[in-house]
Amino acid sequence: DAGVIQSPRHEVTEMGQEVTLRCKPISGHNSLFWYRQTMMRGLELLIYFNNNVPIDDSGMPEDRFSAKMPNASFSTLKIQPSEPRDSAVYFCASRGTGAYEQYFGPGTRLTVT
Amino acid sequence: AQTVTQSQPEMSVQEAETVTLSCTYDTSESNYYLFWYKQPPSRQMILVIRQEAYKQQNATENRFSVNFQKAAKSFSLKISDSQLGDTAMYFCAFMKLSGGSNYKLTFGKGTLLTVNP
């Protein structure tokens, strides 16, 4: 099992640019979660999908953030336009049907200058 | 809303000794899970152990065990025979299983554990 795959692992961009983070969940998992980790706020949930449908997006900070899951094997988190305060590590996690554990990807470290 | 508190920002332990990390949580839910995740310097989040709230028996995974006190809303992690590879940030997490926003993890701020040789 390849685990949750995220790309890119590192992203450096300038303020105002569009950033797209990508995630491939574990095959067969039906729930997908996007988390953000910062020193100030710790780990916080941004959005999660169940069977490709967004269930809870209350953690999405503002309209600059959007997430999609066009199929069971792919999700994107987009920030447009990016700001320096978006600098963080973004994690994707997936969960299988009937299970409770979430398995995390390696994260994407985003730096906005 | 649920909150998770880890009162020890940093701890250290000598190799081969035992250490306990504390976690308390606040919830009005009766049906939930609790987890400990480990994040080594590689930043990968690794599941260490889980506990179902309806089970009175404390979960154990090899050198890792928990002390789950439901009435006190306490969920501590004990690491026995500490190894250098246990050096990491440890996060306590809560997941409710019913109602809105279920299945999402609420994390504590973490405890940085250093195992010294």
Side-chain angles (χ1 to χ4, degrees), chain B residues 75-89:
Chain B
F75 182 61
S76 61
L77 174 70
K78 185 171 80 171
I79 306 174
S80 304
D81 185 24
S82 297
Q83 300 176 0
L84 297 179
D86 295 334
T87 292
M89 183 73 84

Side-chain angles (χ1 to χ4, degrees), chain A residues 67-100:
Chain A
K68 294 182 179 180
M69 192 165 186
N71 57 61
S73 59
F74 184 66
S75 177
T76 59
L77 178 67
K78 185 176 294 186
I79 308 172
Q80 165 63 20
S82 57
E83 296 182 3
R85 59 192 169 119
D86 301 331
S87 296
V89 179
Y90 291 81
F91 286 100
C92 175
S94 69
R95 179 181 70 89
T97 304
Y100 299 109

Side-chain angles (χ1 to χ4, degrees), chain A residues 36-44 85-91 109-110, chain B residues 9-10 39 89 91 108-110 112:
Chain A
R36 179 172 67 176
Q37 185 178 31
T38 61
M39 288 295 293
M40 291 296 295
R41 300 174 66 89
L43 274 156
E44 52 184 349
R85 59 192 169 119
D86 301 331
S87 296
V89 179
Y90 291 81
F91 286 100
R109 179 177 292 280
L110 173 66
Chain B
E10 294 187 36
Q39 187 177 40
M89 183 73 84
F91 293 96
K109 294 294 188 185
L112 178 61

Side-chain angles (χ1 to χ4, degrees), chain B residues 9-115:
Chain B
E10 294 187 36
M11 294 190 72
S12 63
V13 64
Q14 292 300 121
E15 195 174 7
E17 294 190 346
T18 296
V19 64
T20 299
L21 309 183
S22 300
C23 172
T24 58
Y25 58 96
D26 187 21
T27 185
S28 58
E29 302 288 332
S30 58
N31 193 17
Y32 54 88
Y33 271 61
L34 295 162
F35 301 88
W36 280 97
Y37 278 87
K38 165 185 175 181
Q39 187 177 40
S42 67
R43 91 169 173 243
Q44 177 73 50
M45 292 289 288
I46 302 166
L47 178 64
V48 174
I49 199 166
R50 76 172 195 191
Q51 174 77 43
E52 297 92 328
Y54 67 86
K55 286 188 177 179
Q56 291 188 338
Q57 185 174 7
N58 290 322
T60 299
E61 288 287 341
N62 301 314
R63 298 183 295 108
F64 299 87
S65 61
V66 299
N67 183 4
F68 174 47
Q69 302 290 328
K70 190 172 184 178
K73 296 180 182 174
S74 170
F75 182 61
S76 61
L77 174 70
K78 185 171 80 171
I79 306 174
S80 304
D81 185 24
S82 297
Q83 300 176 0
L84 297 179
D86 295 334
T87 292
M89 183 73 84
Y90 287 81
F91 293 96
C92 178
F94 173 98
M95 176 194 289
K96 69 171 185 170
L97 300 179
S98 59
S101 299
N102 51 338
Y103 301 118
K104 74 176 190 182
L105 289 168
T106 300
F107 287 92
K109 294 294 188 185
T111 296
L112 178 61
L113 175 68
T114 302
V115 180

